[in-house]
Amino acid sequence: MIWEHVKERLEAVLQSPIQISLIPDSEWHQLVEDQGESQEGLSRSVIRGEEVLFFISQDHKEVRVLKINGSKLSISERKLVELTIESKQTVEKKQFGSYLSEDERKSNQLRDWLLQQMERGTGHAELPDALASQSSLYSTKIPLLLYGDYPQNQRVSYTELKKLLESFFEAEIILIPLLEKEWLILAPEVLITSGSEERDGDEEESVEQTLDALGSGLYEMLANEWVGECHLAIDFPVKPAKSLFATVLKLRETIMLGRSFHVGSFIHLRWELRLEKLLHLIEEEEKTDFLEQVLRGTDHVLDSETVTTLEHFFTLDCNVSETAKKLYIHRNTLLYRLDKFKNETGLDVRTFNHAVLVRLALLLYKVTKRK
């Protein structure tokens, strides 16, 4: 976001912490009136207690401001901040004002509303009817969160990305730019229902399988034709008018859990990370104690080959034959590896209780060994 960059630069120059906040417009106008400041123009500031508030923008009944400790701010520094803000407002207006399509303007309004909810720290909020109706958010959509691992100085065009996504989906989508490198995609629900009548009953895919396939195809296209590596989180279809903000929070959590527990994975499905979510909530000391009790100082046996073997074994429901096929090894080779692990740790993953313990230990080992 442009104002985050402005904030960082001003903090470096003024050597003082700066906050971006929202205040009621009535409070702002009262401060302006009390101090006899002119309300003309965009770049202006008022004093509130020991703070100086600098006007950034107004949306509905709230004003977004920069807050700086006034006791450390000289008159010239205050004017410098005002000029910096005014300059950025002019640039933003030229870049994102008259040249924006109506579609992108609507997306930016949705982005601003979402960011306002994040600044407030709310856990749930429904979209205003005006925003929901203008973007057709009362119908069910498939939510996807895209995070691009492209260089910080590289800009991604909204128009080009939206065109690329609609070409892939072969349907109109809603694209909302969030924070830096972060994009919310709302795709039509028909993408997971069309074609179901063509499948035989025995071969019908579950919603989870269909969403997984959709995400895999999208990730492959983006990795090859976009700007390289990216992360993609997917959730079940929702009605954005009621749950857009809550959905964004869930998708962000999904990417965080996926990147923490499954390094090297780029597609993150919320329904496959339930156990990881539960483990994430455990205190670090408890995680360490659990590992020590289960592995009992034998964590040296968890080399890459052993970890890969165990993960495939658990993914395939502890089926020896299927795991051997997946790993392209002989069944006896797999049994040898499992017996070796049992002899060194005392844990036989072919039994249910030990399999559960080792599965949990593997997940915790990944996040604790990196800290």
Side-chain angles (χ1 to χ4, degrees):
M1 295 293 296
I2 186 172
W3 293 109
E4 286 296 329
H5 295 314
V6 171
K7 171 181 171 293
E8 291 172 4
R9 284 197 288 270
L10 287 172
E11 283 179 331
V13 172
L14 300 174
Q15 296 295 301
S16 179
I18 299 175
Q19 290 182 320
I20 299 177
S21 301
L22 291 169
I23 65 171
D25 62 348
S26 57
E27 179 183 355
W28 170 265
H29 292 308
Q30 186 62 53
L31 287 169
V32 170
E33 183 177 339
D34 290 346
Q35 295 174 48
E37 298 278 349
S38 170
Q39 296 188 37
E40 298 297 324
L42 291 174
S43 290
R44 56 182 184 264
S45 60
V46 295
I47 296 174
R48 186 180 68 177
E50 295 185 355
E51 299 174 326
V52 180
L53 307 183
F54 295 86
F55 180 95
I56 295 178
S57 61
Q58 180 167 356
D59 183 36
H60 301 298
K61 295 184 177 182
E62 292 181 309
V63 172
R64 180 176 279 109
V65 297
L66 282 179
K67 291 196 308 185
I68 306 179
N69 188 332
S71 63
K72 297 182 180 179
L73 207 62
S74 67
I75 296 297
S76 59
E77 287 173 332
R78 184 171 166 179
K79 290 180 179 178
L80 171 64
V81 176
E82 289 186 346
L83 288 172
T84 301
I85 292 175
E86 186 174 1
S87 173
K88 288 302 176 184
Q89 287 169 333
T90 302
V91 171
E92 191 176 48
K93 185 176 180 180
K94 287 181 178 179
Q95 290 181 342
F96 305 112
S98 58
Y99 299 103
L100 285 186
S101 65
E102 185 62 22
D103 181 50
E104 191 169 355
R105 282 196 188 92
K106 291 178 181 178
S107 293
N108 284 346
Q109 287 178 340
L110 290 170
R111 174 202 62 197
D112 291 342
W113 180 82
L114 287 166
L115 294 181
Q116 283 178 15
Q117 309 317 307
M118 293 175 192
E119 289 174 2
R120 291 173 180 153
T122 55
H124 178 78
E126 289 189 15
L127 268 172
D129 288 338
L131 290 179
S133 59
Q134 74 174 4
S135 298
S136 303
L137 295 179
Y138 290 106
S139 59
T140 304
K141 307 288 185 185
I142 303 169
L144 307 98
L145 187 64
L146 172 62
Y147 179 82
D149 272 345
Y150 45 81
Q152 195 72 30
N153 60 354
Q154 182 170 345
R155 296 191 66 86
V156 174
S157 164
Y158 171 93
T159 303
E160 291 177 4
L161 179 56
K162 189 168 188 289
K163 182 179 179 181
L164 183 63
L165 291 170
E166 291 184 334
S167 174
F168 171 80
F169 288 121
E170 296 182 341
E172 289 188 8
I173 59 114
I174 295 172
L175 179 64
I176 304 173
L178 297 175
L179 300 181
E180 290 289 341
K181 306 183 180 184
E182 190 180 47
W183 305 80
L184 177 65
I185 304 164
L186 299 174
E189 186 186 23
V190 69
L191 292 171
I192 61 172
T193 58
S194 63
S196 59
E197 67 281 355
E198 300 175 5
R199 305 187 195 102
D200 295 331
D202 294 339
E203 298 179 359
E204 186 173 349
E205 292 182 335
S206 66
V207 173
E208 290 89 343
Q209 290 172 321
T210 306
L211 289 172
D212 189 358
L214 185 69
S216 297
L218 177 58
Y219 170 77
E220 184 177 352
M221 183 276 291
L222 290 169
N224 292 329
E225 299 187 29
W226 192 38
V227 287
E229 189 173 297
C230 60
H231 287 267
L232 193 65
I234 310 169
D235 203 352
F236 294 110
V238 298
K239 290 189 175 179
K242 296 294 183 182
S243 59
L244 183 64
F245 180 60
T247 298
V248 170
L249 296 182
K250 290 176 183 176
L251 289 170
R252 280 184 164 179
E253 179 186 58
T254 298
I255 285 187
M256 180 274 292
L257 291 172
R259 297 184 73 174
S260 297
F261 285 92
H262 301 287
V263 176
S265 296
F266 301 97
I267 304 170
H268 312 291
L269 311 173
R270 197 164 77 88
W271 54 90
E272 290 188 355
L273 294 167
R274 296 187 182 106
L275 185 57
E276 288 82 348
K277 179 178 179 179
L278 185 63
L279 295 177
H280 178 69
L281 299 174
I282 299 174
E283 297 289 340
E284 294 302 316
E285 185 176 346
E286 292 290 332
K287 293 176 184 177
T288 303
D289 288 345
F290 178 83
L291 280 175
E292 290 177 354
Q293 292 171 18
V294 173
L295 297 176
R296 292 178 292 185
T298 62
D299 50 316
H300 62 276
V301 305
L302 295 178
D303 54 43
S304 60
E305 181 183 84
T306 301
V307 170
T308 300
T309 299
L310 292 172
E311 286 183 336
H312 280 86
F313 186 65
F314 295 139
T315 300
L316 296 168
D317 298 325
C318 301
N319 186 302
V320 172
S321 299
E322 291 300 319
T323 304
K325 289 180 184 177
K326 185 71 174 180
L327 294 171
Y328 300 102
I329 60 176
H330 194 277
R331 175 189 172 91
N332 289 342
T333 303
L334 174 60
L335 291 174
Y336 169 77
R337 292 182 185 177
L338 298 180
D339 285 335
K340 181 182 177 183
F341 182 78
K342 176 185 175 182
N343 292 334
E344 296 194 26
T345 65
L347 298 165
D348 185 356
V349 293
R350 285 165 290 189
T351 66
F352 176 78
N353 286 338
H354 284 183
V356 171
L357 288 174
V358 175
R359 172 83 170 105
L360 294 173
L362 278 181
L363 287 172
L364 292 176
Y365 182 70
K366 290 178 181 179
V367 293
T368 57
K369 73 174 183 178
R370 292 198 301 269
K371 293 181 179 179

